[in-house]
mmCIF file of all heavy atoms in Angstrom:
data_model
loop_
_atom_site.group_PDB
_atom_site.id
_atom_site.type_symbol
_atom_site.label_atom_id
_atom_site.label_comp_id
_atom_site.label_asym_id
_atom_site.label_seq_id
_atom_site.Cartn_x
_atom_site.Cartn_y
_atom_site.Cartn_z
ATOM 1 N N ALA B 72 -87.421 -19.058 -19.650
ATOM 2 C CA ALA B 72 -87.047 -20.326 -19.009
ATOM 3 C C ALA B 72 -87.027 -20.172 -17.492
ATOM 4 O O ALA B 72 -87.477 -21.054 -16.742
ATOM 5 C CB ALA B 72 -85.674 -20.774 -19.519
ATOM 6 N N ALA B 73 -86.538 -19.030 -17.027
ATOM 7 C CA ALA B 73 -86.473 -18.783 -15.579
ATOM 8 C C ALA B 73 -87.888 -18.688 -14.988
ATOM 9 O O ALA B 73 -88.142 -19.191 -13.891
ATOM 10 C CB ALA B 73 -85.697 -17.494 -15.305
ATOM 11 N N ILE B 74 -88.811 -18.072 -15.731
ATOM 12 C CA ILE B 74 -90.193 -17.964 -15.231
ATOM 13 C C ILE B 74 -90.816 -19.360 -15.132
ATOM 14 O O ILE B 74 -91.488 -19.692 -14.155
ATOM 15 C CB ILE B 74 -91.050 -17.054 -16.158
ATOM 16 C CG1 ILE B 74 -90.541 -15.614 -16.097
ATOM 17 C CG2 ILE B 74 -92.529 -17.119 -15.771
ATOM 18 C CD1 ILE B 74 -91.185 -14.678 -17.121
ATOM 19 N N ARG B 75 -90.554 -20.202 -16.149
ATOM 20 C CA ARG B 75 -91.104 -21.573 -16.105
ATOM 21 C C ARG B 75 -90.625 -22.332 -14.878
ATOM 22 O O ARG B 75 -91.402 -23.014 -14.219
ATOM 23 C CB ARG B 75 -90.663 -22.340 -17.356
ATOM 24 C CG ARG B 75 -91.498 -22.039 -18.558
ATOM 25 C CD ARG B 75 -91.082 -22.979 -19.666
ATOM 26 N NE ARG B 75 -91.830 -22.662 -20.877
ATOM 27 C CZ ARG B 75 -91.298 -22.687 -22.094
ATOM 28 N NH1 ARG B 75 -90.037 -23.018 -22.268
ATOM 29 N NH2 ARG B 75 -92.043 -22.400 -23.131
ATOM 30 N N GLU B 76 -89.336 -22.186 -14.568
ATOM 31 C CA GLU B 76 -88.781 -22.878 -13.389
ATOM 32 C C GLU B 76 -89.464 -22.412 -12.113
ATOM 33 O O GLU B 76 -89.842 -23.217 -11.260
ATOM 34 C CB GLU B 76 -87.284 -22.556 -13.264
ATOM 35 C CG GLU B 76 -86.378 -23.643 -13.780
ATOM 36 C CD GLU B 76 -84.938 -23.191 -13.710
ATOM 37 O OE1 GLU B 76 -84.513 -22.687 -12.645
ATOM 38 O OE2 GLU B 76 -84.255 -23.328 -14.751
ATOM 39 N N ARG B 77 -89.607 -21.090 -11.996
ATOM 40 C CA ARG B 77 -90.229 -20.547 -10.790
ATOM 41 C C ARG B 77 -91.698 -20.957 -10.701
ATOM 42 O O ARG B 77 -92.207 -21.249 -9.607
ATOM 43 C CB ARG B 77 -90.114 -19.007 -10.764
ATOM 44 C CG ARG B 77 -88.701 -18.480 -10.572
ATOM 45 C CD ARG B 77 -88.152 -18.761 -9.179
ATOM 46 N NE ARG B 77 -89.010 -18.225 -8.117
ATOM 47 C CZ ARG B 77 -89.013 -16.965 -7.704
ATOM 48 N NH1 ARG B 77 -88.201 -16.088 -8.258
ATOM 49 N NH2 ARG B 77 -89.819 -16.573 -6.729
ATOM 50 N N ALA B 78 -92.389 -20.991 -11.832
ATOM 51 C CA ALA B 78 -93.801 -21.392 -11.829
ATOM 52 C C ALA B 78 -93.921 -22.835 -11.348
ATOM 53 O O ALA B 78 -94.806 -23.171 -10.560
ATOM 54 C CB ALA B 78 -94.404 -21.222 -13.208
ATOM 55 N N ALA B 79 -92.997 -23.688 -11.806
ATOM 56 C CA ALA B 79 -93.015 -25.093 -11.376
ATOM 57 C C ALA B 79 -92.810 -25.194 -9.873
ATOM 58 O O ALA B 79 -93.308 -26.103 -9.215
ATOM 59 C CB ALA B 79 -91.938 -25.870 -12.129
ATOM 60 N N ALA B 80 -92.080 -24.223 -9.316
ATOM 61 C CA ALA B 80 -91.829 -24.223 -7.869
ATOM 62 C C ALA B 80 -92.938 -23.494 -7.108
ATOM 63 O O ALA B 80 -92.822 -23.257 -5.905
ATOM 64 C CB ALA B 80 -90.470 -23.570 -7.587
ATOM 65 N N GLY B 81 -94.017 -23.078 -7.831
ATOM 66 C CA GLY B 81 -95.184 -22.537 -7.137
ATOM 67 C C GLY B 81 -95.295 -21.030 -7.077
ATOM 68 O O GLY B 81 -96.116 -20.499 -6.328
ATOM 69 N N MET B 82 -94.492 -20.306 -7.877
ATOM 70 C CA MET B 82 -94.607 -18.843 -7.849
ATOM 71 C C MET B 82 -95.937 -18.411 -8.485
ATOM 72 O O MET B 82 -96.267 -18.850 -9.581
ATOM 73 C CB MET B 82 -93.447 -18.203 -8.622
ATOM 74 C CG MET B 82 -93.545 -16.684 -8.702
ATOM 75 S SD MET B 82 -92.182 -15.897 -9.590
ATOM 76 C CE MET B 82 -92.494 -16.464 -11.254
ATOM 77 N N PRO B 83 -96.712 -17.530 -7.806
ATOM 78 C CA PRO B 83 -97.948 -17.017 -8.413
ATOM 79 C C PRO B 83 -97.638 -16.090 -9.597
ATOM 80 O O PRO B 83 -96.712 -15.283 -9.526
ATOM 81 C CB PRO B 83 -98.608 -16.221 -7.279
ATOM 82 C CG PRO B 83 -97.924 -16.668 -6.029
ATOM 83 C CD PRO B 83 -96.533 -17.043 -6.429
ATOM 84 N N ILE B 84 -98.412 -16.229 -10.668
ATOM 85 C CA ILE B 84 -98.254 -15.364 -11.842
ATOM 86 C C ILE B 84 -99.628 -14.902 -12.310
ATOM 87 O O ILE B 84 -100.556 -15.712 -12.404
ATOM 88 C CB ILE B 84 -97.575 -16.091 -13.028
ATOM 89 C CG1 ILE B 84 -96.285 -16.784 -12.573
ATOM 90 C CG2 ILE B 84 -97.268 -15.103 -14.164
ATOM 91 C CD1 ILE B 84 -95.593 -17.555 -13.693
ATOM 92 N N TRP B 85 -99.724 -13.611 -12.598
ATOM 93 C CA TRP B 85 -100.959 -13.031 -13.164
ATOM 94 C C TRP B 85 -100.625 -12.430 -14.521
ATOM 95 O O TRP B 85 -99.731 -11.597 -14.610
ATOM 96 C CB TRP B 85 -101.510 -11.959 -12.215
ATOM 97 C CG TRP B 85 -102.718 -11.224 -12.732
ATOM 98 C CD1 TRP B 85 -103.556 -11.614 -13.729
ATOM 99 C CD2 TRP B 85 -103.215 -9.954 -12.271
ATOM 100 N NE1 TRP B 85 -104.551 -10.691 -13.911
ATOM 101 C CE2 TRP B 85 -104.371 -9.658 -13.038
ATOM 102 C CE3 TRP B 85 -102.807 -9.054 -11.276
ATOM 103 C CZ2 TRP B 85 -105.105 -8.484 -12.839
ATOM 104 C CZ3 TRP B 85 -103.548 -7.902 -11.089
ATOM 105 C CH2 TRP B 85 -104.692 -7.625 -11.858
ATOM 106 N N GLY B 86 -101.346 -12.867 -15.539
ATOM 107 C CA GLY B 86 -101.160 -12.288 -16.862
ATOM 108 C C GLY B 86 -102.402 -11.525 -17.287
ATOM 109 O O GLY B 86 -103.506 -12.058 -17.237
ATOM 110 N N THR B 87 -102.242 -10.248 -17.713
ATOM 111 C CA THR B 87 -103.382 -9.488 -18.237
ATOM 112 C C THR B 87 -103.213 -9.353 -19.744
ATOM 113 O O THR B 87 -102.162 -8.930 -20.214
ATOM 114 C CB THR B 87 -103.480 -8.078 -17.627
ATOM 115 O OG1 THR B 87 -102.281 -7.350 -17.875
ATOM 116 C CG2 THR B 87 -103.708 -8.132 -16.130
ATOM 117 N N CYS B 88 -104.235 -9.720 -20.491
ATOM 118 C CA CYS B 88 -104.273 -9.536 -21.943
ATOM 119 C C CYS B 88 -103.075 -10.253 -22.591
ATOM 120 O O CYS B 88 -103.053 -11.473 -22.634
ATOM 121 C CB CYS B 88 -104.299 -8.041 -22.256
ATOM 122 S SG CYS B 88 -104.716 -7.655 -23.951
ATOM 123 N N MET B 89 -102.071 -9.523 -23.046
ATOM 124 C CA MET B 89 -100.881 -10.197 -23.575
ATOM 125 C C MET B 89 -100.302 -11.176 -22.560
ATOM 126 O O MET B 89 -99.849 -12.261 -22.925
ATOM 127 C CB MET B 89 -99.832 -9.143 -23.970
ATOM 128 C CG MET B 89 -98.489 -9.658 -24.385
ATOM 129 S SD MET B 89 -97.303 -9.988 -23.043
ATOM 130 C CE MET B 89 -96.634 -8.355 -22.758
ATOM 131 N N GLY B 90 -100.344 -10.818 -21.290
ATOM 132 C CA GLY B 90 -99.794 -11.684 -20.248
ATOM 133 C C GLY B 90 -100.508 -13.028 -20.203
ATOM 134 O O GLY B 90 -99.890 -14.080 -19.997
ATOM 135 N N MET B 91 -101.832 -13.011 -20.414
ATOM 136 C CA MET B 91 -102.592 -14.264 -20.436
ATOM 137 C C MET B 91 -102.203 -15.105 -21.665
ATOM 138 O O MET B 91 -102.118 -16.336 -21.576
ATOM 139 C CB MET B 91 -104.091 -13.988 -20.433
ATOM 140 C CG MET B 91 -104.933 -15.264 -20.392
ATOM 141 S SD MET B 91 -106.695 -14.944 -20.191
ATOM 142 C CE MET B 91 -107.145 -14.522 -21.875
ATOM 143 N N ILE B 92 -101.947 -14.424 -22.780
ATOM 144 C CA ILE B 92 -101.502 -15.160 -23.978
ATOM 145 C C ILE B 92 -100.155 -15.846 -23.689
ATOM 146 O O ILE B 92 -99.938 -17.005 -24.046
ATOM 147 C CB ILE B 92 -101.381 -14.206 -25.191
ATOM 148 C CG1 ILE B 92 -102.743 -13.591 -25.533
ATOM 149 C CG2 ILE B 92 -100.789 -14.929 -26.399
ATOM 150 C CD1 ILE B 92 -102.688 -12.496 -26.579
ATOM 151 N N MET B 93 -99.265 -15.101 -23.015
ATOM 152 C CA MET B 93 -97.949 -15.668 -22.678
ATOM 153 C C MET B 93 -98.078 -16.893 -21.776
ATOM 154 O O MET B 93 -97.297 -17.832 -21.860
ATOM 155 C CB MET B 93 -97.103 -14.616 -21.942
ATOM 156 C CG MET B 93 -96.459 -13.578 -22.818
ATOM 157 S SD MET B 93 -95.186 -14.292 -23.870
ATOM 158 C CE MET B 93 -96.027 -14.278 -25.398
ATOM 159 N N LEU B 94 -99.084 -16.892 -20.877
ATOM 160 C CA LEU B 94 -99.247 -18.009 -19.940
ATOM 161 C C LEU B 94 -99.889 -19.233 -20.600
ATOM 162 O O LEU B 94 -99.726 -20.359 -20.130
ATOM 163 C CB LEU B 94 -100.133 -17.581 -18.761
ATOM 164 C CG LEU B 94 -99.531 -16.595 -17.754
ATOM 165 C CD1 LEU B 94 -100.575 -16.226 -16.704
ATOM 166 C CD2 LEU B 94 -98.297 -17.180 -17.084
ATOM 167 N N ALA B 95 -100.624 -19.019 -21.703
ATOM 168 C CA ALA B 95 -101.460 -20.084 -22.265
ATOM 169 C C ALA B 95 -100.645 -21.247 -22.827
ATOM 170 O O ALA B 95 -99.580 -21.053 -23.402
ATOM 171 C CB ALA B 95 -102.342 -19.497 -23.371
ATOM 172 N N LYS B 96 -101.193 -22.447 -22.665
ATOM 173 C CA LYS B 96 -100.541 -23.625 -23.267
ATOM 174 C C LYS B 96 -100.763 -23.665 -24.764
ATOM 175 O O LYS B 96 -99.941 -24.190 -25.497
ATOM 176 C CB LYS B 96 -101.075 -24.911 -22.628
ATOM 177 C CG LYS B 96 -100.508 -25.135 -21.238
ATOM 178 C CD LYS B 96 -100.557 -26.602 -20.818
ATOM 179 C CE LYS B 96 -99.783 -26.768 -19.520
ATOM 180 N NZ LYS B 96 -100.203 -27.932 -18.744
ATOM 181 N N ARG B 97 -101.899 -23.134 -25.226
ATOM 182 C CA ARG B 97 -102.210 -23.205 -26.661
ATOM 183 C C ARG B 97 -102.715 -21.847 -27.172
ATOM 184 O O ARG B 97 -103.516 -21.203 -26.526
ATOM 185 C CB ARG B 97 -103.288 -24.271 -26.912
ATOM 186 C CG ARG B 97 -102.831 -25.687 -26.572
ATOM 187 C CD ARG B 97 -104.001 -26.674 -26.494
ATOM 188 N NE ARG B 97 -104.964 -26.319 -25.465
ATOM 189 C CZ ARG B 97 -104.849 -26.653 -24.183
ATOM 190 N NH1 ARG B 97 -103.828 -27.373 -23.758
ATOM 191 N NH2 ARG B 97 -105.770 -26.283 -23.304
ATOM 192 N N ILE B 98 -102.208 -21.453 -28.354
ATOM 193 C CA ILE B 98 -102.649 -20.214 -28.998
ATOM 194 C C ILE B 98 -103.215 -20.590 -30.359
ATOM 195 O O ILE B 98 -102.565 -21.292 -31.130
ATOM 196 C CB ILE B 98 -101.468 -19.231 -29.161
ATOM 197 C CG1 ILE B 98 -100.844 -18.918 -27.792
ATOM 198 C CG2 ILE B 98 -101.932 -17.949 -29.854
ATOM 199 C CD1 ILE B 98 -99.538 -18.161 -27.862
ATOM 200 N N GLU B 99 -104.445 -20.138 -30.639
ATOM 201 C CA GLU B 99 -105.093 -20.520 -31.906
ATOM 202 C C GLU B 99 -104.352 -19.957 -33.117
ATOM 203 O O GLU B 99 -103.973 -18.785 -33.117
ATOM 204 C CB GLU B 99 -106.542 -19.976 -31.931
ATOM 205 C CG GLU B 99 -107.504 -20.814 -31.132
ATOM 206 C CD GLU B 99 -108.951 -20.348 -31.324
ATOM 207 O OE1 GLU B 99 -109.227 -19.510 -32.191
ATOM 208 O OE2 GLU B 99 -109.801 -20.840 -30.557
ATOM 209 N N ASN B 100 -104.199 -20.783 -34.141
ATOM 210 C CA ASN B 100 -103.698 -20.356 -35.448
ATOM 211 C C ASN B 100 -102.369 -19.607 -35.384
ATOM 212 O O ASN B 100 -102.174 -18.626 -36.075
ATOM 213 C CB ASN B 100 -104.700 -19.414 -36.136
ATOM 214 C CG ASN B 100 -106.019 -20.095 -36.339
ATOM 215 O OD1 ASN B 100 -106.063 -21.290 -36.638
ATOM 216 N ND2 ASN B 100 -107.092 -19.357 -36.147
#
Side-chain angles (χ1 to χ4, degrees):
Chain B
I74 294 172
R75 279 187 183 141
E76 260 176 49
R77 291 291 304 278
M82 177 179 68
I84 309 178
W85 176 18
T87 58
C88 193
M89 173 275 277
M91 183 173 80
I92 298 172
M93 281 292 106
L94 289 177
K96 285 203 171 156
R97 296 166 299 275
I98 302 170
E99 281 187 9
N100 300 323

